[in-house]
């Protein structure tokens, strides 16, 4: 790696590990009433999670996790009983159990994830409950949101590494097998400086064990810890994970996943959309880590910082990313639209003004229609149908690279 490449990655890390790039707090789950008995709750987990009867809380003999799952369904998590998250977590737990009782798709894996959380402390239980419940609700993100989510996972990993390092250095003591509460102490104090996931920070601040066992890191110490966390952040692993995920696109890929949303983003942002597809069949995504760096720079910095001579499949990076993004295009079209004497923009079509439809929203609708057609074309070629139609839409005439 050249010094220029290292400088690019350093700038990217500084940006990614900042409050500007953060998964925001999810909305609170609305109240979900209990409708199952203790026995019925137990049955839901027993039917879906093999061996759950023998799950032990932190390996303690006789401390079966199943009874704590039933309690969480009925009363919530005791550690959060006096916090603003109590009703939220209680409703999340009930939502999950009801989902399993109704035999909804994917219930087995979701219940297993929650049950495994009950092998550990209530801080871990809360994290498992909230994440599973929010996933079940089908909250969807755009491409940028999904990438921010991926970055958040690696921020969490860096904070865990920081906690392990500081414990080894004797800067704190934690006698648990997994130092969850010390990790929460660091998440509460250092997380906001790094743009750690807002839901993780929210739970960490409410961790009573983290508050009682460890002193808060003050401003200077927190800043020093944040700087060390940026050094521990594994940007190479994150980029490799991104590439592996994007390149996993196939005919079974759901339209709201990272691989699918990447193609939607590419259709709007790249001037040579076909360059992200394999050259032989144009039926699968094929990018590398160098291209991934350019994508991240485009999303979170002012654009790709690749040198003039850098290419991807023989095409200069500057040519691949020259198209303005859809938001800027819509804003430019709004500004260019004719105005009346008062300076108010005139409607594009008769009736738009009375309906409250802006010009940019009409452009956005048009773009969505184009993207929908593009998605249908991708699915069709992957299923072996109408290949000529896809090529005519996606590949520029006379260009086969």
């Amino acid at each position: 790696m050249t010094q220029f490449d290292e400088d690019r990655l350093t700038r990217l890390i500084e940006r990614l590990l900042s409050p500007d790039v953060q998964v925001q707090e999810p909305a609170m789950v609305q109240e979900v009433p209990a409708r199952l008995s203790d026995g019925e709750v137990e049955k839901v987990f027993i039917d879906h999670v093999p061996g759950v009867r023998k799950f032990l809380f932190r390996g303690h003999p006789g401390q079966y996790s199943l009874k704590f799952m039933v309690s969480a369904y009925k009363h919530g998590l005791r550690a959060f009983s006096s916090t603003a998250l109590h009703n939220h977590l209680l409703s999340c737990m009930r939502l999950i159990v009801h989902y399993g009782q109704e035999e909804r798709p994917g219930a087995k894996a979701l219940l297993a994830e929650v049950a495994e959380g009950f092998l550990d402390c209530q801080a871990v239980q809360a994290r498992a409950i909230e994440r599973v419940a929010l996933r079940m609700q089908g909250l969807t993100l755009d491409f940028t949101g999904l990438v921010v989510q991926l970055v958040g996972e690696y921020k969490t990993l860096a904070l865990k590494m920081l906690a392990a390092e500081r414990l080894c250095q004797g800067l704190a003591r934690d006698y648990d097998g997994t130092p969850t509460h010390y990790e929460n102490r660091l998440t509460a104090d250092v997380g906001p400086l790094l743009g750690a996931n807002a839901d993780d920070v929210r739970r960490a601040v409410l961790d009573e064990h983290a508050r009682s066992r460890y002193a808060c890191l003050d401003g200077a110490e927190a800043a020093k810890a944040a700087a060390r966390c940026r050094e521990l952040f594994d940007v190479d692993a994150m980029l490799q994970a991104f590439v592996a995920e994007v390149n996993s696109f196939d005919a079974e890929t759901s339209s709201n996943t990272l691989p699918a949303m990447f193609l939607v983003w590419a259709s709007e942002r790249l001037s040579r959309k076909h360059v992200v597809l394999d050259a032989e069949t144009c039926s699968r995504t094929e990018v590398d880590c160098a291209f991934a760096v350019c994508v991240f720079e485009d999303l979170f910095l002012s654009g790709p910082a690749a040198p003039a001579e850098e290419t991807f499949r023989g095409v200069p990076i500057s040519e691949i990313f020259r198209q303005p993004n859809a938001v800027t295009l819509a804003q430019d079209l709004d500004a260019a639209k004719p105005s009346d004497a008062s300076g108010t923009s005139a409607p594009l079509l008769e009736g738009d003004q009375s309906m409250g439809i802006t010009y940019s929203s009409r452009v956005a609708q048009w773009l969505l229609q184009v993207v929908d057609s593009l998605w249908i074309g991708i699915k069709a070629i992957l299923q072996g149908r109408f290949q000529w139609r896809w090529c005519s839409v996606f590949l520029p005439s006379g260009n086969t690279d």
Side-chain angles (χ1 to χ4, degrees):
M1 179 178 290
T2 67
Q3 183 62 46
F4 179 80
D5 291 332
E6 291 180 359
D7 291 343
R8 285 177 66 187
L9 290 180
T10 298
R11 287 194 299 272
L12 182 59
I13 291 171
E14 287 291 329
R15 177 66 172 180
L16 294 180
L17 274 74
S18 74
D20 295 328
V21 181
Q22 182 183 43
V23 177
Q24 298 301 308
E25 283 187 11
M28 294 287 191
V29 172
Q30 294 183 350
E31 184 176 354
V32 177
R35 67 174 190 238
L36 304 180
S37 66
D38 291 3
E40 288 172 323
V41 174
E42 286 188 355
K43 186 176 186 303
V44 169
F45 281 99
I46 291 170
D47 289 348
H48 293 84
V49 185
V52 72
R53 291 178 187 269
K54 298 181 180 180
F55 281 19
L56 296 176
F57 173 72
R58 291 198 157 183
H60 298 317
Q63 295 292 312
Y64 293 103
S65 298
L66 191 54
K67 68 178 182 181
F68 297 117
M69 298 177 210
V70 173
S71 176
Y73 174 87
K74 290 182 63 178
H75 308 297
L77 299 177
R78 183 182 56 80
F80 293 87
S81 60
S82 59
T83 73
L85 280 182
H86 172 69
N87 288 331
H88 169 68
L89 293 172
L90 176 59
S91 293
C92 284
M93 184 64 177
R94 291 174 177 174
L95 194 70
I96 293 165
V97 175
H98 296 167
Y99 189 93
Q101 189 206 34
E102 295 166 3
E103 299 291 347
R104 305 279 291 278
K108 184 174 181 178
L110 296 172
L111 286 165
E113 185 174 340
V114 171
E116 289 168 3
F118 277 80
L119 294 170
D120 212 322
C121 67
Q122 291 186 55
V124 176
Q125 295 167 21
R127 181 168 61 220
I129 290 170
E130 184 173 38
R131 290 188 176 180
V132 168
L134 294 175
R135 199 182 314 150
M136 280 171 37
Q137 289 186 303
L139 301 178
T140 58
L141 299 170
D142 61 8
F143 175 64
T144 301
L146 291 170
V147 175
V148 171
Q149 194 173 68
L150 175 66
V151 175
E153 293 173 6
Y154 281 85
K155 290 182 186 182
T156 299
L157 180 59
L159 281 166
K160 288 179 179 292
M161 294 169 65
L162 179 66
E165 180 180 85
R166 289 174 66 87
L167 289 170
C168 288
Q169 294 171 344
L171 298 176
R173 292 182 180 274
D174 191 306
Y175 300 102
D176 294 333
T178 302
T180 302
H181 300 296
Y182 186 58
E183 291 170 1
N184 278 348
R185 177 72 277 157
L186 294 179
T187 300
D189 297 340
V190 182
L193 302 178
L194 302 171
N197 296 345
D199 57 339
D200 290 342
V201 174
R202 179 175 65 182
R203 285 192 306 271
V205 169
L206 297 174
D207 187 339
E208 59 182 13
H209 294 299
R211 290 198 305 271
S212 62
R213 295 180 189 178
Y214 311 105
C216 295
L217 277 66
D218 61 23
E221 189 177 9
K224 182 178 178 181
R228 177 56 181 156
C229 202
R230 293 186 183 96
E231 294 174 353
L232 294 171
F233 183 79
D234 196 340
V235 67
D236 292 328
M238 181 198 68
L239 291 170
Q240 289 168 7
F242 172 82
V243 168
E245 183 71 12
V246 165
N247 288 349
S248 70
F249 180 87
D250 60 24
E252 303 303 319
T253 301
S254 173
S255 61
N256 61 356
T257 59
L258 183 63
M261 295 304 291
F262 170 71
L263 290 177
V264 174
W265 174 84
S267 72
E268 299 173 347
R269 184 67 187 97
L270 305 183
S271 59
R272 298 201 181 190
K273 310 172 186 64
H274 63 288
V275 79
V276 301
L277 302 175
D278 70 293
E280 293 183 1
T281 67
C282 291
S283 63
R284 56 187 174 85
T285 310
E286 194 174 82
V287 299
D288 57 21
C289 286
F291 190 82
V293 171
C294 295
V295 173
F296 275 71
E297 289 174 330
D298 192 69
L299 290 173
F300 303 114
L301 296 172
S302 57
E309 65 274 12
E310 183 171 332
T311 63
F312 180 67
R313 294 191 182 164
V315 182
I317 293 295
S318 59
E319 292 185 15
I320 295 174
F321 285 84
R322 68 186 176 191
Q323 178 181 330
N325 63 40
V327 174
T328 302
L329 174 62
Q331 292 172 343
D332 290 345
L333 289 172
D334 268 340
K337 179 175 60 161
S339 301
D340 60 20
S342 64
T344 303
S345 297
L348 177 64
L349 297 175
E350 185 178 356
D352 281 356
Q353 194 171 43
S354 61
M355 295 173 62
I357 301 175
T358 66
Y359 191 66
S360 58
S361 69
R362 297 188 67 85
V363 172
Q365 291 170 2
W366 175 80
L367 284 172
L368 286 173
Q369 291 172 355
V370 172
V371 169
D372 286 342
S373 299
L374 178 64
W375 175 250
I376 292 170
I378 295 171
K379 298 289 281 189
I381 187 173
L382 288 174
Q383 294 168 358
R385 299 194 304 270
F386 308 118
Q387 183 167 355
W388 69 271
R389 290 187 182 179
W390 160 243
C391 291
S392 66
V393 170
F394 202 76
L395 292 179
S397 178
N399 197 329
T400 59
D401 61 348

